[in-house]
Amino acid sequence: MNIVLLGPPGAGKGTQAKRIEKALGLVQLSTGDMLRAAVAAGSEVGKKAKAVMEAGKLVSDDILIAMISDRIGEADCKNGFILDGFPRTVAQAEALDKMLGARGLKLDHVIEMQVDDAALVERISGRYSCKDCGAVYHDKTKPTKVAGKCDSCGSANMVRRPDDKADTVAARLKAYHDQTAPIIPYYRAKGALKVVDGMADMDVVTAAIAKVLGKPIAAI
Ligand code: AMP
């Protein structure tokens, strides 16, 4: 099963993708995580992406399209994948259709998680995660049980994304509305789009996604 999770930054795509990944044995493909890894590794792609990401803008379509095209060809993707953060432009959505078609694959579900901008700023600015296992937390809504220690793996290596600062968040929301939101009518026109209320409690969102997918998903 191949799934696209759509929605603005902070909508909860990563959290839900991890739950789907675990429940259904699919692979989460987060282009944000891939780019952050490229930046950390100092690769050519990372060098090109770093300043663009820090400014809250979108990295160029050709970089992202090549990245996803390579990644979905890898062995671990053969049972299916969850795209989290891709596509983010109409050009990326069209390229995705082409690369899937060329491999005899298709998208089974495109799920839009809808969240108000005001809630997003609040969600993103309190966000931190475990550098070792990727578990995501929030200062107000989901702090670690023991301050500074990951509930999942016990690591004390907590990090905040540099682009989760309030001024960058505004630029990221603008990029979403200007460049990413136009892909919603693209998928709606294909009859592929399902909408879930991303403002609801995390577990309620998971249940709504499970209903769309027709499979049970545990809250983790
Ligand atoms: P995310 O972790 O999905 O919020 O992505 C973090 C940043 O990576 C974004 O603000 C963009 O700068 C960049 N990025 C991630 N995915 C894409 C994409 N599909 N197209 C362009 N830029 C992307």
Side-chain angles (χ1 to χ4, degrees):
M1 184 188 284
N2 301 317
I3 302 167
V4 169
L5 288 184
L6 287 178
K13 300 185 296 294
T15 301
Q16 299 298 335
K18 284 189 175 63
R19 291 180 172 189
I20 302 169
E21 175 177 60
K22 195 166 178 203
L24 306 185
L26 308 177
V27 179
Q28 175 193 10
L29 301 181
S30 158
T31 44
D33 285 351
M34 292 179 202
L35 288 168
R36 280 183 287 278
V39 171
S43 69
E44 279 312 305
V45 164
K47 282 182 201 148
K48 285 186 190 148
K50 188 169 188 283
V52 181
M53 293 171 77
E54 279 168 5
K57 298 195 171 146
L58 294 188
V59 176
S60 74
D61 286 336
D62 20 324
I63 290 181
L64 270 296
I65 290 165
M67 195 179 251
I68 283 295
S69 178
D70 289 348
R71 187 67 188 84
I72 62 171
E74 288 177 27
D76 61 338
C77 289
K78 76 173 185 310
N79 290 334
F81 47 81
I82 310 143
L83 287 167
D84 157 15
F86 184 95
R88 248 173 163 108
T89 62
V90 172
Q92 291 178 19
E94 289 170 348
L96 177 63
D97 279 345
K98 282 201 195 107
M99 68 178 89
L100 291 176
R103 292 182 157 91
L105 301 172
K106 66 176 177 64
L107 290 177
D108 298 286
H109 299 281
V110 179
I111 302 175
E112 181 199 354
M113 301 172 62
Q114 286 185 338
V115 183
D116 295 349
D117 277 11
L120 293 171
V121 175
E122 167 98 15
R123 281 186 187 190
I124 297 176
S125 43
R127 183 159 75 170
Y128 58 100
S129 65
C130 172
K131 193 164 189 235
D132 295 328
C133 77
V136 181
Y137 299 96
H138 189 277
D139 293 324
K140 286 190 193 150
T141 56
K142 196 187 172 218
T144 50
K145 290 190 185 110
V146 177
K149 201 167 168 197
C150 179
D151 295 353
S152 302
C153 75
S155 161
N157 216 348
M158 294 294 158
V159 287
R160 286 177 197 264
R161 283 171 44 173
D163 62 346
D164 277 352
K165 291 190 297 272
D167 47 347
T168 317
V169 170
R172 289 165 65 201
L173 287 177
K174 185 171 172 5
Y176 179 78
H177 290 298
D178 293 352
Q179 291 166 273
T180 307
I183 67 182
I184 290 168
Y186 174 85
Y187 285 122
R188 192 183 293 121
K190 288 171 168 286
L193 189 75
K194 297 273 163 43
V195 178
V196 299
D197 176 12
M199 295 290 286
D201 179 81
M202 251 187 274
D203 295 349
V204 175
V205 178
T206 303
I209 291 174
K211 197 169 168 202
V212 169
L213 304 181
K215 308 258 182 194
I217 304 172
I220 50 169

